[in-house]
Amino acid sequence: MAAVRARRVHSVKWQRYPLDVVPAWVADMDFPPPAQALESGIELLRNGDTGYPSSDLGSSYEAAYQMWCKESFGTQPHPLRTVADVVAALRIVVMAVTDPGAGVIVLTPSYPPFFSVVKDAQRELMEVPMSKVDQQYRIDLERLSTTAADPRAQAMILCNPQNPTGRIFTRSELAAIATIADREHLTVIADEIHQDLLSHGSTHIPFASLENESASRAIVLSSPSKSFNIAGLKVAHIELPSDRAQRARLKASPLLALSQATPIGLAVGAEAYETQRSWLDEVRHVIDDNFTVMEKSYANHELVSFTHREGTYLLWGELHRLPENQSAYEFLLDRGRLGVGAGEDYLPGAPQFFRLNLAAWPSTITAIIERINDALGTL
């Protein structure tokens, strides 16, 4: 861990807490990005080629992503508009395709910026809690259907693979969502940023690949930032819908001009998609091993449990006993010197939950387990 911390002198993950705290909170990896992909950005820096990006950089990025999706999922994405990051993309899309005061559905627990984007856009947040069954979260389709039937509802934000629970929704679940969206004419905004981070044997189905009218109107958001650990380089994209009216509505939004991908991000992202599949395979193998270690360490534990992860590198945990007046976040930081994601950020009113980032070296996973055990030993 000391070697990682020494390299990450400007990393919010490693600099937020004192040196005695093991950070396992924010969603970036401890693994260095693929060197060959980084070299594409370094070459731009060497040449001083750091002005506004030309269209050829965007075209190269789009072509690389198209091929990546064809090889990964057997799909052909629609044309892209590049932006700085997925949260910026989400803000643009919510404001472009919904009316002020409209309802936007979010499954919970959920990535915290979904809540803030909806509220900041002066839209109404319509939460649909998922149900926890056998250490997995399931969509309450009846409740979703009822919420979608509310005349205020105009859109649904769908995160798949899901942050923080690690679910990858099945084809039947996605089809059920699409059927509801068809009936209620909802716009599905699909955040698929974790699409490449799948556990061994899991399959991701892009929402836009479904044969539904709502899939043709869906707007998909993604980025190489999670897959290749390049969040700071600022590159992401909006996949334009195939529905002509929906595409025209989005393209007409002046907000698209407010967020631009960087030339370095575009160059590195394109190179990563073109050449770094084997790098990602190795990283996924390490992450899978990390989850296996965690599952074995806490199988049938009476004080803590974790959801079964299918995708992402995030682990959603629950403490079954808490000291009075302490959340799981506060307890693990205070008694274990472990920095985790606070559960109430993802699921308001649920202090017993917490999120862990397991995209780390095995030695860090060992340290995480030791810190959890140290804290639990005080109960």
Tab-separated table of all heavy atoms in Angstrom, residues 26-47:
chain	number	residue	atom	x	y	z
A	26	VAL	N	-13.728	5.628	-2.834
A	26	VAL	CA	-14.093	6.154	-4.146
A	26	VAL	C	-13.773	5.134	-5.238
A	26	VAL	O	-12.855	4.308	-5.100
A	26	VAL	CB	-13.375	7.497	-4.410
A	26	VAL	CG1	-11.902	7.280	-4.714
A	26	VAL	CG2	-14.046	8.285	-5.525
A	27	ALA	N	-14.527	5.183	-6.352
A	27	ALA	CA	-14.433	4.150	-7.389
A	27	ALA	C	-13.365	4.464	-8.422
A	27	ALA	O	-13.661	4.823	-9.563
A	27	ALA	CB	-15.788	3.947	-8.060
A	28	ASP	N	-12.097	4.351	-8.022
A	28	ASP	CA	-11.036	4.207	-9.011
A	28	ASP	C	-10.092	3.115	-8.565
A	28	ASP	O	-10.072	2.713	-7.402
A	28	ASP	CB	-10.325	5.530	-9.323
A	28	ASP	CG	-9.644	6.170	-8.131
A	28	ASP	OD1	-9.240	5.457	-7.208
A	28	ASP	OD2	-9.507	7.401	-8.137
A	29	MET	N	-9.338	2.571	-9.510
A	29	MET	CA	-8.491	1.415	-9.244
A	29	MET	C	-7.152	1.835	-8.651
A	29	MET	O	-6.690	2.958	-8.860
A	29	MET	CB	-8.220	0.654	-10.540
A	29	MET	CG	-9.421	0.124	-11.270
A	29	MET	SD	-8.864	-0.840	-12.710
A	29	MET	CE	-10.413	-1.120	-13.557
A	30	ASP	N	-6.517	0.887	-7.985
A	30	ASP	CA	-5.140	1.085	-7.550
A	30	ASP	C	-4.137	0.650	-8.614
A	30	ASP	O	-2.943	0.879	-8.475
A	30	ASP	CB	-4.867	0.303	-6.257
A	30	ASP	CG	-5.558	0.918	-5.055
A	30	ASP	OD1	-6.039	2.060	-5.167
A	30	ASP	OD2	-5.627	0.251	-4.002
A	31	PHE	N	-4.629	0.018	-9.687
A	31	PHE	CA	-3.743	-0.463	-10.738
A	31	PHE	C	-3.377	0.683	-11.689
A	31	PHE	O	-4.249	1.462	-12.076
A	31	PHE	CB	-4.416	-1.575	-11.543
A	31	PHE	CG	-5.101	-2.603	-10.698
A	31	PHE	CD1	-6.456	-2.855	-10.845
A	31	PHE	CD2	-4.402	-3.319	-9.740
A	31	PHE	CE1	-7.109	-3.795	-10.060
A	31	PHE	CE2	-5.039	-4.263	-8.950
A	31	PHE	CZ	-6.388	-4.497	-9.108
A	32	PRO	N	-2.114	0.785	-12.080
A	32	PRO	CA	-1.755	1.820	-13.069
A	32	PRO	C	-2.487	1.579	-14.388
A	32	PRO	O	-2.674	0.436	-14.791
A	32	PRO	CB	-0.241	1.634	-13.245
A	32	PRO	CG	0.214	0.864	-12.052
A	32	PRO	CD	-0.940	0.002	-11.647
A	33	PRO	N	-2.916	2.621	-15.074
A	33	PRO	CA	-3.554	2.441	-16.382
A	33	PRO	C	-2.587	1.769	-17.360
A	33	PRO	O	-1.365	1.789	-17.166
A	33	PRO	CB	-3.872	3.872	-16.822
A	33	PRO	CG	-3.884	4.671	-15.560
A	33	PRO	CD	-2.863	4.040	-14.666
A	34	PRO	N	-3.104	1.177	-18.421
A	34	PRO	CA	-2.224	0.506	-19.388
A	34	PRO	C	-1.233	1.487	-20.021
A	34	PRO	O	-1.625	2.526	-20.560
A	34	PRO	CB	-3.196	-0.067	-20.418
A	34	PRO	CG	-4.481	0.672	-20.210
A	34	PRO	CD	-4.524	1.064	-18.787
A	35	ALA	N	0.045	1.133	-19.946
A	35	ALA	CA	1.114	2.044	-20.365
A	35	ALA	C	1.005	2.418	-21.837
A	35	ALA	O	1.255	3.567	-22.222
A	35	ALA	CB	2.471	1.414	-20.070
A	36	GLN	N	0.663	1.457	-22.685
A	36	GLN	CA	0.597	1.740	-24.118
A	36	GLN	C	-0.486	2.771	-24.409
A	36	GLN	O	-0.306	3.654	-25.259
A	36	GLN	CB	0.311	0.457	-24.897
A	36	GLN	CG	0.260	0.666	-26.412
A	36	GLN	CD	0.077	-0.631	-27.171
A	36	GLN	OE1	0.404	-1.703	-26.678
A	36	GLN	NE2	-0.467	-0.546	-28.378
A	37	ALA	N	-1.606	2.676	-23.708
A	37	ALA	CA	-2.672	3.658	-23.911
A	37	ALA	C	-2.232	5.034	-23.416
A	37	ALA	O	-2.467	6.051	-24.086
A	37	ALA	CB	-3.943	3.207	-23.185
A	38	LEU	N	-1.577	5.088	-22.269
A	38	LEU	CA	-1.098	6.367	-21.743
A	38	LEU	C	-0.115	7.038	-22.696
A	38	LEU	O	-0.069	8.267	-22.798
A	38	LEU	CB	-0.438	6.172	-20.385
A	38	LEU	CG	-1.348	5.837	-19.205
A	38	LEU	CD1	-0.517	5.730	-17.925
A	38	LEU	CD2	-2.444	6.880	-19.028
A	39	GLU	N	0.670	6.246	-23.392
A	39	GLU	CA	1.666	6.800	-24.303
A	39	GLU	C	1.021	7.649	-25.396
A	39	GLU	O	1.623	8.628	-25.861
A	39	GLU	CB	2.481	5.669	-24.929
A	39	GLU	CG	3.661	6.128	-25.773
A	39	GLU	CD	4.677	6.957	-24.990
A	39	GLU	OE1	4.875	6.702	-23.786
A	39	GLU	OE2	5.272	7.887	-25.597
A	40	SER	N	-0.200	7.313	-25.776
A	40	SER	CA	-0.902	8.118	-26.775
A	40	SER	C	-1.146	9.533	-26.267
A	40	SER	O	-1.055	10.506	-27.030
A	40	SER	CB	-2.243	7.465	-27.134
A	40	SER	OG	-2.041	6.226	-27.756
A	41	GLY	N	-1.458	9.660	-24.986
A	41	GLY	CA	-1.636	10.981	-24.399
A	41	GLY	C	-0.327	11.690	-24.164
A	41	GLY	O	-0.220	12.916	-24.363
A	42	ILE	N	0.689	10.931	-23.751
A	42	ILE	CA	2.011	11.526	-23.512
A	42	ILE	C	2.581	12.113	-24.796
A	42	ILE	O	3.219	13.174	-24.793
A	42	ILE	CB	2.956	10.469	-22.909
A	42	ILE	CG1	2.473	10.090	-21.499
A	42	ILE	CG2	4.392	10.973	-22.868
A	42	ILE	CD1	3.177	8.876	-20.907
A	43	GLU	N	2.317	11.452	-25.921
A	43	GLU	CA	2.804	11.966	-27.201
A	43	GLU	C	2.188	13.333	-27.515
A	43	GLU	O	2.880	14.237	-28.018
A	43	GLU	CB	2.476	10.977	-28.323
A	43	GLU	CG	3.010	11.410	-29.683
A	43	GLU	CD	2.723	10.390	-30.764
A	43	GLU	OE1	2.136	9.337	-30.458
A	43	GLU	OE2	3.073	10.661	-31.925
A	44	LEU	N	0.900	13.500	-27.203
A	44	LEU	CA	0.279	14.810	-27.398
A	44	LEU	C	0.949	15.865	-26.523
A	44	LEU	O	1.189	17.001	-26.966
A	44	LEU	CB	-1.214	14.743	-27.072
A	44	LEU	CG	-2.111	13.904	-27.984
A	44	LEU	CD1	-3.552	13.974	-27.504
A	44	LEU	CD2	-2.013	14.368	-29.423
A	45	LEU	N	1.260	15.497	-25.290
A	45	LEU	CA	1.920	16.441	-24.385
A	45	LEU	C	3.310	16.803	-24.894
A	45	LEU	O	3.714	17.971	-24.863
A	45	LEU	CB	2.010	15.835	-22.981
A	45	LEU	CG	0.684	15.690	-22.215
A	45	LEU	CD1	0.898	14.871	-20.950
A	45	LEU	CD2	0.130	17.068	-21.873
A	46	ARG	N	4.055	15.810	-25.337
A	46	ARG	CA	5.412	16.075	-25.863
A	46	ARG	C	5.366	17.056	-27.028
A	46	ARG	O	6.239	17.917	-27.159
A	46	ARG	CB	6.051	14.764	-26.341
A	46	ARG	CG	6.514	13.822	-25.251
A	46	ARG	CD	7.506	12.818	-25.852
A	46	ARG	NE	7.713	11.694	-24.964
A	46	ARG	CZ	7.166	10.492	-25.114
A	46	ARG	NH1	6.356	10.273	-26.137
A	46	ARG	NH2	7.415	9.516	-24.272
A	47	ASN	N	4.358	16.892	-27.859
A	47	ASN	CA	4.253	17.737	-29.054
A	47	ASN	C	3.562	19.069	-28.783
A	47	ASN	O	3.431	19.897	-29.692
A	47	ASN	CB	3.489	16.988	-30.149
A	47	ASN	CG	4.231	15.767	-30.648
A	47	ASN	OD1	5.455	15.682	-30.525
A	47	ASN	ND2	3.496	14.816	-31.198
